[in-house]
């Protein structure tokens, strides 16, 4: 290469990653529960004359409180006044111990509501219960998921959702490991000038933002650093480390793009803007947060990260528990 800032870019595809990094775990118990919950979307609330069960909604008609009894406590939030209260048994919103005492009782039975000084009588007037339909293919069809019409298809769909979710979560760790090893394995020239320029640019950006938001430089800088970075020595070391990391990633991204004949210019910037707009971003936000200048600073590092993520996309191993 003519550019002696990066003399050798190691091929990240040659790395052998730790197995655990590429291991995705699917909790089959969680999967079974997620499948079963589909029926819950079509539950009904029905009256029942059977004994009260945990989870039932119970309506209790209350008798008038004794005259002169105004000793309210936290349980009076259910407003024990002549009328009625509704309790979701077992949730503890009223009084957990008392709610448990309702289990097994039936409509028409007398109960005593806990109240400071003296319990207040009441009568169970109504018991309502959630009724879940049997999970069938017809229930699955009602979910209106394109191409999903049966319970096995829905299970496979949820399994893939879980795998994709876990893969997204783990991809950050995979990229971080690969970038660290790639930086160590590649050969760089003297980068002092580039690292110093990056540090100065970073500090200038902090100054501009501090002025814009009417804050001191130190206040704005603290917002840009991890909370454990406090002393001047720690701050300088942290900024230097991040500057070296950013400079090297940009150089590696530039070389990879050159090898793969990828062009990152105004056209690719406009294409990325379109993608952001399709995702819901507005032109106003992009003018502020995603200018062409910002794109130029991050495009090559982003390209490198993207290519690493694409390469390992199908290298994950799924383990079922």
């Amino acid at each position: 290469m003519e550019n002696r800032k990066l003399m050798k870019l190691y091929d990240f595809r040659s790395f052998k990653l730790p197995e655990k990094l590429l291991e995705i775990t699917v909790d089959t118990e969680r999967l079974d529960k997620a499948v079963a919950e589909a029926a819950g979307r079509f539950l009904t609330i029905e009256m029942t004359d059977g004994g009260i069960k945990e989870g039932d909604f119970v309506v209790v008609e209350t008798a008038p409180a004794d005259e002169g009894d105004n000793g309210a406590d936290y349980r009076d939030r259910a407003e024990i006044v002549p009328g009625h209260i509704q309790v979701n048994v077992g949730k503890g919103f009223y009084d957990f111990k008392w709610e448990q005492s309702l289990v097994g009782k039936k409509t028409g039975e007398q109960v005593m509501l806990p109240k400071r000084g003296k319990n207040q009588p009441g009568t169970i007037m109504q018991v309502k219960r959630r009724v879940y339909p049997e999970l069938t293919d017809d229930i699955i069809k009602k979910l209106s998921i394109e191409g999903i019409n049966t319970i096995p298809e829905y299970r496979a769909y949820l399994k893939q959702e879980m795998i994709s979710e876990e893969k997204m979560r783990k991809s950050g760790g995979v990229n971080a490991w690969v970038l660290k090893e790639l930086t160590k394995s590649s050969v760089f020239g003297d980068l002092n000038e580039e690292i110093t320029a990056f540090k100065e640019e970073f500090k200038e950006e902090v100054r501009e933002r501090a002025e814009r938001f009417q804050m001191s430089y130190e206040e704005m800088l603290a917002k840009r650093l991890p909370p454990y970075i406090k002393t001047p020595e720690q701050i300088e070391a942290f900024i230097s480390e991040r500057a070296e990391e950013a400079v090297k990633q940009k150089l590696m991204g530039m070389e990879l793009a050159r090898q793969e004949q990828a062009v990152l210019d105004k056209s690719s910037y406009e294409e990325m803007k379109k993608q952001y707009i399709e995702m819901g971003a507005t032109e106003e936000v992009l003018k502020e947060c995603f200018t062409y200048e910002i794109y130029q600073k991050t495009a090559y590092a982003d390209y490198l990260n993207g290519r690493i993520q694409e390469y390992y996309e199908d290298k994950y191993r799924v383990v079922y528990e």
Side-chain angles (χ1 to χ4, degrees):
M1 294 176 55
E2 291 184 6
N3 184 353
R4 307 308 291 174
K5 298 299 181 181
L6 174 60
M7 292 174 280
K8 178 187 176 183
L9 175 64
Y10 191 84
D11 185 358
F12 66 83
R13 303 170 188 85
S14 303
F15 288 131
K16 182 175 176 57
L17 275 64
E19 288 187 6
K20 281 291 183 182
L21 263 183
L22 293 172
E23 186 176 283
I24 291 177
T25 301
V26 173
D27 185 337
T28 53
E29 185 176 335
R30 178 184 165 220
L31 177 58
D32 290 340
K33 184 179 179 181
V35 172
E37 285 174 352
R41 302 188 190 186
F42 303 95
L43 66 82
T44 55
I45 305 293
E46 300 180 8
M47 302 287 290
T48 178
D49 292 326
I52 294 171
K53 295 181 180 180
E54 193 164 314
D56 286 351
F57 297 98
V58 177
V59 176
V60 177
E61 185 177 69
T62 61
D66 289 344
E67 192 172 331
D69 181 9
N70 58 6
D73 67 4
Y74 74 96
R75 285 169 289 201
D76 288 318
R77 282 179 293 194
E79 297 185 11
I80 303 177
V81 295
H84 69 272
I85 63 169
Q86 178 169 292
V87 179
N88 189 185
V89 177
K91 297 298 184 182
F93 297 144
Y94 178 63
D95 181 286
F96 184 76
K97 186 176 180 180
W98 178 75
E99 290 172 23
Q100 292 298 309
S101 74
L102 295 178
V103 174
K105 296 185 182 298
K106 298 181 179 181
T107 302
E109 290 193 38
Q110 300 295 306
V111 295
M112 298 298 290
L113 287 80
K115 185 174 174 69
R116 185 189 302 173
K118 182 190 293 185
N119 289 336
Q120 185 171 359
T123 303
I124 299 174
M125 302 301 295
Q126 193 179 82
V127 180
K128 294 181 284 186
R129 182 171 298 160
R130 298 180 181 90
V131 178
Y132 293 83
E134 179 185 357
L135 184 61
T136 63
D137 289 346
D138 286 337
I139 290 288
I140 298 302
K141 289 174 184 176
K142 289 180 181 179
L143 297 176
S144 300
I145 302 173
E146 186 176 354
I148 307 300
N149 299 298
T150 66
I151 295 173
E153 288 173 349
Y154 183 59
R155 181 184 175 82
Y157 166 80
L158 289 182
K159 183 179 73 174
Q160 191 55 51
E161 288 283 297
M162 289 181 177
I163 290 173
S164 297
E165 179 183 303
E166 183 70 1
K167 189 182 291 185
M168 181 65 69
R169 187 184 69 81
K170 297 205 74 170
S171 65
V174 170
N175 272 41
W177 189 95
V178 172
L179 284 170
K180 182 179 179 180
E181 294 303 312
L182 183 60
T183 303
K184 285 163 51 178
S185 302
S186 298
V187 181
F188 297 89
D190 181 2
L191 302 179
N192 285 331
E193 184 179 338
E194 287 75 15
I195 291 172
T196 298
F198 186 95
K199 288 165 60 177
E200 290 305 314
E201 187 176 335
F202 171 79
K203 292 175 182 178
E204 182 58 32
E205 180 188 334
V206 173
R207 291 188 192 95
E208 290 176 357
R209 289 183 65 83
E211 183 177 345
R212 178 181 173 186
F213 291 100
Q214 298 182 329
M215 299 170 65
S216 69
Y217 172 80
E218 291 73 20
E219 289 173 330
M220 180 57 71
L221 181 60
K223 287 183 173 293
R224 301 289 298 272
L225 302 175
Y228 58 85
I229 302 295
K230 296 185 180 298
T231 68
E233 293 77 17
Q234 289 176 328
I235 292 172
E236 186 61 28
F238 181 84
I239 294 176
S240 296
E241 182 180 330
R242 292 298 175 268
E244 181 178 353
E245 182 181 279
V247 168
K248 288 182 175 180
Q249 284 190 25
K250 181 176 181 179
L251 287 170
M252 292 188 296
M254 289 175 69
E255 175 57 16
L256 182 63
R258 186 193 69 79
Q259 291 177 6
E260 298 181 342
Q261 299 183 341
V263 179
L264 306 182
D265 56 11
K266 194 77 172 179
S267 296
S268 58
Y269 164 69
E270 292 297 336
E271 187 60 37
M272 186 162 286
K273 270 183 64 177
K274 288 180 183 177
Q275 293 177 15
Y276 283 138
I277 290 173
E278 289 173 0
M279 293 166 61
T282 64
E283 286 283 358
E284 291 72 19
V285 169
L286 293 177
K287 284 179 182 177
E288 177 69 24
C289 304
F290 190 61
T291 62
Y292 183 55
E293 289 70 26
I294 292 175
Y295 172 75
Q296 288 178 306
K297 291 178 184 178
T298 62
Y300 288 106
D302 289 344
Y303 180 79
L304 175 62
N305 272 277
R307 296 295 288 136
I308 292 172
Q309 188 167 334
E310 286 174 17
Y311 178 74
Y312 288 101
E313 175 70 23
D314 60 355
K315 306 294 188 296
Y316 290 89
R317 182 171 63 93
V318 180
V319 176
Y320 297 93
E321 290 186 346

